[in-house]
Amino acid sequence: MYTEIIRIIEGALKSDTGKVMSYANLLVENLRKDGDNKTADRIESVLTKKRINSVFSDQLINAPVDQESRLTMADVLLPEANMHEVIFSESMHNTINTFISTVQHRNKLLKAGIELNASLLLYGPPGCGKTTIAKFIAHRLQLPLVIARLDSLISSLLGNTAKNIRRIFDFASSRPCILFLDEFDAIGKARDDQHELGELKRVINSLLQNIDEYTAAGNILITATNHHELLDKAIWRRFSYIVDVTKPDKKAISQLLYSSLSQFKNNILEDSKKEELAAESMSGLSFSEVKTIFNNTISKGIIQDKEEIVLEDILTQLFLFRNNNKHDTALLAKFLEENGCSKPAIAQYLGISYRQATNILDKK
């Protein structure tokens, strides 16, 4: 409970009623989880003003705005009650679970004299689930996710950008939450970049200082970038946990396939060869691209009242995805054959005779 007590004291010293109330209620909830209802009742009796039934007070929704553009600088997402299954590679899964476990046991670690730096950097190509990971962590920890909107955080007046950064960190540190800085490279570029102005380099220095203060106080920080090569070297040293969010391997694609199709009649999941063909065909795609193809397959099957989803349905959606939705029967037939479909199956699926299918597939 040390973290909550420290936050309450900080809020009191700054006359920040919202911070005091938020962390006092979080302390009450944690005391009840530990079975200390007597202390929890005593604290609640002190909170004589309007009871905040959750640590997610109304103040949390009122995120700061940029003074120049008046745009909201952050989106606040409450943790999803029933989040769908999230699929990671084994290495990602281990690091993410270790990060979550460290946060969950921070009071025990503090009691043992171990300093906690709850910071996580996610990097990798677009569409591989960095934002989904942040939401998953928020769900597991049951904390709101404050997503900084970098398009409004970076002001045309660079002097305001440093102020905006400070306001975002102050906002997040004043209540129980996870601060998530997406597209982190937009403000974390290397300071030796000759194309950047001196003022922007001072902004980066301000960012580093805010990160140090924020994490040193035991707050939770997650950042994500598609361009890790642009990050200043000093950025990497600020993070205790770093995850390379890669594209899904065959095993992960098979897991996505199962989670997508398990509720629908299909001829794929019970046939290991067809399942392997489906997974192999999507090698090199991102998680979001694979999900899009599976969703399109299921949606079309529902719209057309199909009794069963077959391998050819998935491969057809993959073909359309790769060809900008341009349908060409001959090219589709060749694509199906290249991905393991037999000539009889292709003929039946396309509604043509076996002779027609043979002529199309044998034509150079």
Side-chain angles (χ1 to χ4, degrees):
M1 310 304 169
Y2 298 103
T3 302
E4 291 78 21
I5 295 171
I6 291 171
R7 296 297 181 279
I8 293 169
I9 294 172
E10 289 174 347
L13 291 174
K14 294 180 180 180
S15 299
D16 188 341
T17 304
K19 184 171 184 176
V20 172
M21 294 293 288
S22 293
Y23 280 101
N25 280 280
L26 179 59
L27 178 59
V28 168
E29 290 188 9
N30 288 333
L31 285 169
R32 293 202 185 283
K33 289 178 182 178
D34 291 345
D36 191 353
N37 290 317
K38 184 177 180 179
T39 305
D41 290 339
R42 290 180 64 185
I43 294 175
E44 281 191 319
S45 68
V46 175
L47 302 175
T48 55
K49 293 185 179 182
K50 181 179 179 182
R51 165 68 177 160
I52 304 176
N53 293 318
S54 169
V55 297
F56 316 137
S57 68
D58 292 339
Q59 296 181 46
L60 185 62
I61 306 301
N62 300 322
V65 298
D66 176 59
Q67 296 300 308
E68 180 188 5
S69 65
R70 305 308 300 171
L71 292 173
T72 302
M73 294 190 294
D75 293 321
V76 180
L77 302 181
L78 299 183
E80 298 180 25
N82 298 302
M83 189 172 184
H84 59 77
E85 180 184 6
V86 179
I87 296 171
F88 310 123
S89 67
E90 186 173 352
S91 61
M92 289 166 55
H93 187 273
N94 291 337
T95 304
I96 292 166
N97 277 345
T98 300
F99 176 77
I100 293 171
S101 181
T102 299
V103 175
Q104 290 174 329
H105 295 88
R106 57 184 170 185
N107 286 319
K108 184 184 295 186
L109 294 172
L110 288 171
K111 188 176 181 179
I114 299 175
E115 294 184 5
L116 174 66
N117 184 340
S119 56
L120 171 67
L121 171 61
L122 307 170
Y123 73 93
C128 287
K130 293 183 287 295
T131 302
T132 300
I133 290 173
K135 292 179 179 178
F136 171 77
I137 293 172
H139 164 71
R140 285 282 301 275
L141 296 176
Q142 283 299 289
L143 288 171
L145 187 67
V146 178
I147 305 177
R149 298 180 55 178
L150 297 182
D151 56 346
S152 55
L153 188 66
I154 299 177
S155 172
S156 61
L157 301 175
L158 288 178
N160 285 348
T161 299
K163 294 178 182 177
N164 286 344
I165 292 173
R166 184 65 192 179
R167 293 175 67 208
I168 283 291
F169 278 93
D170 284 345
F171 172 76
S173 64
S174 66
R175 59 238 337 123
C177 68
I178 299 171
L179 177 58
F180 178 48
L181 301 178
D182 201 2
E183 299 181 13
F184 191 51
D185 50 276
I187 53 175
K189 287 184 179 180
R191 284 172 288 182
D192 59 359
D193 188 340
Q194 299 300 317
H195 298 287
E196 299 297 353
L197 301 172
E199 180 62 29
L200 186 53
K201 294 175 183 178
R202 284 189 286 274
V203 167
I204 296 170
N205 289 332
S206 173
L207 172 65
L208 295 176
Q209 181 181 356
N210 278 282
I211 289 175
D212 289 340
E213 293 177 0
Y214 186 78
T215 54
N219 296 301
I220 307 171
L221 175 66
I222 302 176
T223 64
T225 177
N226 299 332
H227 304 286
H228 64 281
E229 71 281 357
L230 298 179
L231 294 182
D232 190 286
K233 292 180 180 179
I235 292 290
W236 295 88
R237 297 195 297 269
R238 262 67 184 185
F239 293 90
S240 297
Y241 299 87
I242 298 175
V243 177
D244 181 3
V245 186
T246 59
K247 293 181 179 180
D249 54 18
K250 282 175 57 177
K251 181 179 179 180
I253 294 174
S254 293
Q255 290 176 316
L256 285 169
L257 180 66
Y258 181 83
S259 65
S260 299
L261 295 186
S262 58
Q263 299 181 34
F264 301 91
K265 185 179 180 181
N266 65 87
N267 72 347
I268 304 167
L269 297 182
E270 300 301 324
D271 188 323
S272 58
K273 183 179 179 180
K274 289 183 178 179
E275 182 179 338
E276 185 175 356
L277 287 171
E280 285 181 349
S281 70
M282 298 192 192
S283 176
L285 297 182
S286 68
F287 275 96
S288 64
E289 290 170 335
V290 172
K291 288 179 182 178
T292 295
I293 291 167
F294 288 158
N295 288 339
N296 289 347
T297 301
I298 295 170
S299 298
K300 188 169 183 179
I302 292 173
I303 292 171
Q304 295 181 342
D305 293 323
K306 291 178 69 75
E307 294 183 359
E308 182 181 50
I309 293 174
V310 297
L311 174 63
E312 289 78 9
D313 290 323
I314 293 176
L315 293 176
T316 297
Q317 291 304 316
L318 175 59
F319 172 81
L320 294 173
F321 175 81
R322 290 181 170 173
N323 291 275
N324 299 317
N325 286 315
K326 294 180 181 178
H327 192 284
D328 183 297
T329 300
L331 291 178
L332 173 58
K334 292 180 182 294
F335 181 79
L336 294 175
E337 185 181 44
E338 290 169 358
N339 285 278
C341 299
S342 65
K343 288 181 180 178
I346 293 171
Q348 181 180 3
Y349 182 76
L350 296 179
I352 58 179
S353 67
Y354 179 78
R355 181 188 293 272
Q356 287 176 297
T358 301
N359 290 337
I360 291 173
L361 296 171
D362 290 345
K363 187 176 180 180
K364 295 184 180 180

